[in-house]
Amino acid sequence: MIIMGSNMAEAHPVGFQWVVEAKSRGARVIHIDPRFTRTSALADTFVPLRAGTDIAFLGGVINHVLTHDLDFREYVRAYTNAAFLVAEGFEDTEDLDGLFSGYDAETGTYGRDLWQYESAEQARTEREGGEGGGDSAMDQERTSPMGHGAAGAPLSGTTGDIAQDPTLQHPRCVFQILKRHFSRYTPEMVERICGTLPGQFREVCEAWTANSNRERTTALVYSVGWTQHSVGAQYIRAGSILQLLLGNIGRPGGGVFALRGHASIQGSTDIPTLFNLLPGYLPMPTAGSHEDLPTYLDDLRSPTQKGYWAGADAYLVSLLKEYFGDNATEGNGYGFDWLPRINGDHGTYRTVMDMVDGKVFGYFLLGQNPAVGSAHGKLQRLGMANLDWLVVRDLAMIESATFWKDSPEVETGEIVPEMCRTEVFFFPAASHVEKEGTFTQTQRMLQWREKAVEPVGDQRSELWFFYHLGRMIRERLAGSTDPRDEPVQKLDWSYAVQGGGAWPEPSAQDVLRRINGYRTDTGEPVGGYTELAADGSTACGCWIYSGVFADGVNQAARRVAHAEQGPYDAEWGWTWPSNRRVLYNRASADPEGRPWSERKKLVWWDAEQGEWTGDDVPDFPKKTPPGFVPPEDATGPDALRGDDAFIMQADGKAWLFAPHGMLDGPLPTHYEPHESPARNLLYGQQGNPTRKVYGRLDNPSNPSPPEAHREVFPFVLTAARLTEHHTAGGMSRQLPYLAELQPELFVEVSPELARIRGLSHLGYAHVVTSRAAVEARVVVTDRMAPLRIDGEVVHQVWLPYHWGGSGLVTGDVVNDLLGVVTDANVFIQESKVATCDVRPGHRPRGAALTAMLAETRARAGVTIETGTTIATAAGVPHLQHTEESS
């Protein structure tokens, strides 16, 4: 098991018990991380690296696999797009000094026409202001989920229409492009970039490849240590490519595990709290592009594509029927026009900047504490201080509810309580033991929780709050003739309730039934997403959850003991989709349908019964035999060949090379973090050329190569969680026993850095960036060993981020140190790596603090333009991307 980008033992201790169990049975655990942690202590091998360089490390392992022919060739040839040819004209980072074909320096985006397969054309035309088949400016700005949901872009035709070379020797086949792309990611380069010693790196390569074959599989585990980067989506791509090359996807004991730090974070993306997605990873409609339901569906899927995304019309129409009930008819496009449209970035950080700029007037906070828990805490607090109203629902009075009177900006005079215009409404929330419903866990499992105790006083569930808020708004708007109120008026709000009176509790089980889906004429629950229809005869709140209430039974509430069922515990909770525990498990059998080995069997083809069977629910059309070749006019699941194991992809194959869907390149590429002490040793292109920098006076960046004065912030800063506190601390700093275990904010530094900066163990220091200074106790420890990067010693420092101004134990806000720069694909912030300085003693207070930060910025030459030249490769204009110029 490889754990990378995660401190699983501390941040996910319940899940880590199974790692310990696996280790006790002979599994080897390798932990790769900038810091020696409790996970490292329990691993067999710990490998250090510099924060923000994981792609260089993974690229080195990929290069090792390809150079030494260690890939699982039969798996790769059958189940990936390794043999597909990329169109002529495609140029790689090797050709363009770190860029791919189609880069536009003025917009900081890629036109992706030249990333396509040979003879495969996009089935849609661009409707965001562009003509013909090329990417328009709007499309270049759209994330993959914004544009196409989880499906990726549709491809015309099927695999037979894509030029390919089964020998994998053609210079334009994906396999050869992959080899060239990663050829310079050598062990020597990994050492120069990551600081990882060659012997340590070689040990990882040998262990990973030796344990990945017919008989054995390796699991890859990551968490937000991978995602919270300006190249975060490509971190996961790099790990996925490696696991595909080694045949570790779709097989028991393999896979890529995205750990979730909260009980239902997976659920909040499945049924999203995201601006750009509808339930089940359907994309939100785009303004100016999706005029009606047909144009939306044409943009989402091709009528000739393979796989189950061809059923997107049924998923979307069923969702609209659940939203609008009898008001959704064929004549009005099932209410498609009542859905809102998006027109670009409406993410968390864009919204908070719009709050500062006076463009947003009201804000709901539920289960979030951005005053402490989000990057650039000062920007968050100043944004909230410029609202008309703010609604906070939480278990305790958190910093985001009291910022107007006790934030750090009150001390500096940037927020004056008597003049703060924001009216804050605080609603006490019910905790998880005071309400019923489901969690969706890391492994995609829905588990039902019973209500253990009744909530106290005015505490209420989120379901209660939004049901009654919706009810009251609908009553208020009932007589309105304003067209903008029509979508609210047309909603079907007929949820079942429990108890009487004016304020009954909605039935969470009825909500789950409606999420599952039902037949609109009888109300009978459907058995799964394959039963959904595009004719209005079914309604479904989230197609991937369809089946959780099959036969009218709450499948998420099942609790059959492990000893009473099969090896995959199919009757403990319910896992989407279709209660399938391993995704793409057709790949657990060879192209002929036989398990790769008896030891690793999962599903297989039963020739006698004429169907797929096994220990898990087969992730493949049940009656499609291994050697099946579909007719030329087949579409959807019927177009899948017998070896098209990746059933949600338009071509049926896993993508080593992404011809569409990623905004920052078809292959992962090492770019330095936005704030880095080192130049990019691979290319002239320093950072991700599509990253969102938001250059503003209130969002300064520390200088990085090729900019001058980076010596003012010479150290690498990273932050993470503790077991004893939970995220922003609102749930844990209130509790005496947890407050006693971790009573004070601290910063971990190496003995060498302590000597350089005159720091004493358990004394005080303050960590400084261009945004803020944060005071912490000093912990001098070998856990933060310095690394040698291209001949120079680089020190890293680490802080936990759980403290704020409320609770039994208080402290400075670590996230104040971070600026806002995001990954272009998913708008997630780069909060796992920045640069900083560390100075002994207490930080200045009040006006002295703002004066010190101003002096530090002046010494570093920090201006609004710092960090905004995102293209630095040779031969492209080096334009500055500030808010004022965009």
Side-chain angles (χ1 to χ4, degrees), residues 452-663:
V453 295
E454 289 297 323
V456 177
D458 290 336
Q459 295 168 199
R460 294 292 184 271
S461 69
E462 287 78 12
L463 183 58
W464 180 94
F465 180 84
F466 280 107
Y467 170 78
H468 288 292
L469 179 64
R471 176 182 61 80
M472 295 172 72
I473 290 174
R474 283 165 48 79
E475 290 171 359
R476 179 76 60 90
L477 299 179
S480 173
T481 58
D482 190 330
R484 74 174 186 174
D485 297 332
E486 187 178 10
V488 177
Q489 294 170 327
K490 297 298 186 182
L491 286 172
D492 179 2
W493 215 246
S494 58
Y495 299 99
V497 296
Q498 300 170 329
W503 304 94
E505 181 75 22
S507 166
Q509 186 153 282
D510 184 57
V511 173
L512 186 64
R513 178 188 70 85
R514 293 172 67 150
I515 288 172
N516 172 89
Y518 54 90
R519 305 190 188 284
T520 54
D521 56 348
T522 65
E524 177 189 359
V526 299
Y529 66 86
T530 57
E531 296 180 20
L532 299 178
D535 60 4
S537 61
T538 58
C540 176
C542 182
W543 71 274
I544 59 174
Y545 282 18
S546 189
V548 70
F549 218 85
D551 301 319
V553 175
N554 185 346
Q555 307 286 332
R558 294 177 302 175
R559 295 289 184 272
V560 178
H562 176 78
E564 300 174 22
Q565 55 176 314
Y568 281 81
D569 299 326
E571 294 183 59
W572 182 277
W574 186 90
T575 303
W576 71 261
S578 303
N579 203 32
R580 184 173 296 122
R581 304 305 164 110
V582 178
L583 288 175
Y584 299 121
N585 58 32
R586 162 67 180 90
S588 69
D590 67 18
E592 286 72 43
R594 303 167 303 207
W596 291 109
S597 72
E598 184 65 21
R599 181 175 181 272
K600 284 290 179 180
K601 69 177 183 179
L602 181 60
V603 302
W604 54 88
W605 176 252
D606 185 327
E608 185 175 327
Q609 296 296 322
E611 64 184 29
W612 290 91
T613 188
D615 296 326
D616 194 9
V617 177
D619 193 13
F620 202 67
K622 194 170 186 179
K623 298 293 185 179
T624 300
F628 177 70
V629 177
E632 289 186 6
D633 60 349
T635 62
D638 295 337
L640 292 167
R641 290 170 53 95
D643 59 359
D644 283 338
F646 289 81
I647 60 173
M648 300 307 293
Q649 294 293 84
D651 53 18
K653 305 299 181 186
W655 284 5
L656 300 171
F657 176 99
H660 211 287
M662 303 296 293
L663 290 185

Side-chain angles (χ1 to χ4, degrees), residues 230-253:
S230 57
V231 286
Q234 294 286 8
Y235 274 35
I236 292 97
R237 281 273 297 135
S240 300
I241 289 170
L242 191 47
Q243 288 292 76
L244 286 168
L245 287 172
L246 295 175
N248 285 323
I249 302 293
R251 301 180 62 202

Side-chain angles (χ1 to χ4, degrees), residues 11-218:
H12 308 89
V14 175
F16 193 74
Q17 66 179 315
W18 302 111
V19 178
V20 174
E21 176 72 17
K23 186 181 174 186
S24 72
R25 299 186 182 189
R28 181 177 180 182
V29 180
I30 298 174
H31 187 220
I32 306 167
D33 200 84
R35 172 177 173 259
F36 188 92
T37 68
R38 289 169 177 167
T39 303
S40 313
L42 290 169
D44 297 286
T45 304
F46 168 68
V47 178
L49 83 169
R50 176 166 61 99
T53 64
D54 299 58
I55 287 178
F57 189 101
L58 294 166
V61 183
I62 293 171
N63 183 39
H64 176 85
V65 170
L66 296 175
T67 300
H68 298 285
D69 290 326
L70 295 172
D71 59 287
F72 192 167
R73 187 62 55 88
E74 191 175 359
Y75 179 105
V76 169
R77 200 190 310 270
Y79 299 143
T80 77
N81 65 353
F84 293 178
L85 303 192
V86 174
E88 288 192 71
F90 169 73
E91 292 181 284
D92 192 17
T93 52
E94 298 298 294
D95 309 305
L96 300 174
D97 199 27
L99 300 175
F100 294 95
S101 304
Y103 186 70
D104 182 342
E106 186 171 349
T107 61
T109 62
Y110 279 108
R112 291 156 289 175
D113 298 344
L114 293 176
W115 303 357
Q116 304 305 307
Y117 296 137
E118 183 172 297
S119 79
E121 298 177 359
Q122 293 301 310
R124 65 188 177 92
T125 58
E126 302 298 332
R127 299 183 183 84
E128 302 82 17
E131 297 291 336
D135 283 326
S136 69
M138 179 66 182
D139 192 59
Q140 292 172 27
E141 286 289 336
R142 295 194 306 178
T143 68
S144 177
M146 281 173 67
H148 302 287
L155 301 172
S156 65
T158 57
T159 308
D161 300 313
I162 300 173
Q164 51 189 298
D165 174 20
T167 71
L168 307 185
Q169 298 303 308
H170 193 288
R172 283 190 287 107
C173 78
V174 165
F175 191 77
Q176 293 299 325
I177 290 174
L178 200 68
K179 291 181 75 170
R180 289 195 301 275
H181 180 79
F182 288 108
S183 61
R184 65 167 82 184
Y185 292 70
T186 61
E188 295 75 22
M189 189 60 76
V190 170
E191 180 182 16
R192 292 177 65 194
I193 293 174
C194 304
T196 306
L197 297 176
Q200 296 173 312
F201 175 71
R202 200 160 39 245
E203 184 179 358
V204 174
C205 292
E206 291 171 355
W208 205 333
T209 54
N211 199 65
S212 304
N213 48 51
R214 279 180 172 267
E215 295 290 334
R216 306 186 68 84
T217 52
T218 298

Side-chain angles (χ1 to χ4, degrees), residues 746-783:
F746 60 95
V747 56
E748 291 193 357
V749 301
S750 68
E752 294 87 343
L753 179 55
R755 286 193 294 270
I756 291 170
R757 282 293 190 259
L759 309 176
S760 58
H761 183 58
L762 298 185
Y764 284 96
H766 51 287
V767 181
V768 183
T769 69
S770 58
R771 278 83 51 181
V774 165
E775 182 178 299
R777 288 272 191 172
V778 175
V779 173
V780 180
T781 172
D782 290 331
R783 288 193 291 256

Side-chain angles (χ1 to χ4, degrees), residues 228-229 349 352 370 372-381 673-675 693 698-702 715-720 767-774 797 799-801 813-821 829-836 853:
Q228 292 179 356
H229 291 271
Y349 294 101
V352 78
V372 172
S374 293
H376 205 335
K378 177 179 178 179
L379 192 69
Q380 304 286 337
R381 296 186 293 269
H674 178 68
E675 294 183 356
V693 294
D698 54 11
N699 185 41
S701 295
N702 298 346
F715 309 128
V716 175
L717 163 69
T718 188
V767 181
V768 183
T769 69
S770 58
R771 278 83 51 181
V774 165
V797 302
L799 298 99
Y801 65 93
V813 177
V814 168
N815 278 319
D816 287 5
L817 294 170
L818 302 169
V820 175
V821 60
Q829 76 283 353
E830 184 159 74
S831 52
K832 290 301 179 185
V833 59
T835 56
C836 70
L853 293 173

